Amino acid sequence: VLITWLIRASKLGLVGGALWATHSAGVWSLQPGVPNPAASRLRRDILPEAAAAVDSVPSAGQLVDQAAGQWNDGVSAACSWLARAPSSLTDACRGLLVSQRSE
């Protein structure tokens, strides 16, 4: 029982220590407009040649705007198709009637 308790306590301590270390490094900073210090340090020290690729990643706001635009385009296309459906169906039926009469 004591060994099980020690194993669980050590796991909890490892998880808590990892959370504390990442929080103190600034990984969990979610303030908008404030650059993440961990990401800045990563770009500067570890991956300086990848900074251009990291900077080209769109922001969350840009992704939301793009998704909303694509959603609206899809809704417009669906509504246009529905609006054209009766006349398209009528034209198709007339074409079938004409082809059957010519046989």
Side-chain angles (χ1 to χ4, degrees), residues 3-64:
I3 292 174
T4 305
W5 184 83
L6 287 174
I7 291 172
R8 288 182 181 166
S10 64
K11 288 180 182 179
L12 184 61
L14 286 173
V15 170
L19 285 173
W20 175 80
T22 55
H23 176 56
S24 64
V27 172
W28 303 109
S29 174
L30 297 176
Q31 298 172 350
V34 177
N36 188 331
S40 300
R41 215 173 15 255
L42 178 70
R43 280 189 214 141
R44 183 186 70 234
D45 298 338
I46 299 173
L47 301 171
E49 54 276 341
V54 171
D55 291 338
S56 67
V57 174
S59 69
Q62 291 170 331
L63 290 175
V64 167

Side-chain angles (χ1 to χ4, degrees), residues 8-9 19 23 51 60 75 83 86 90 94 102:
R8 288 182 181 166
L19 285 173
H23 176 56
V75 169
T90 302
R94 285 183 183 156
S102 63

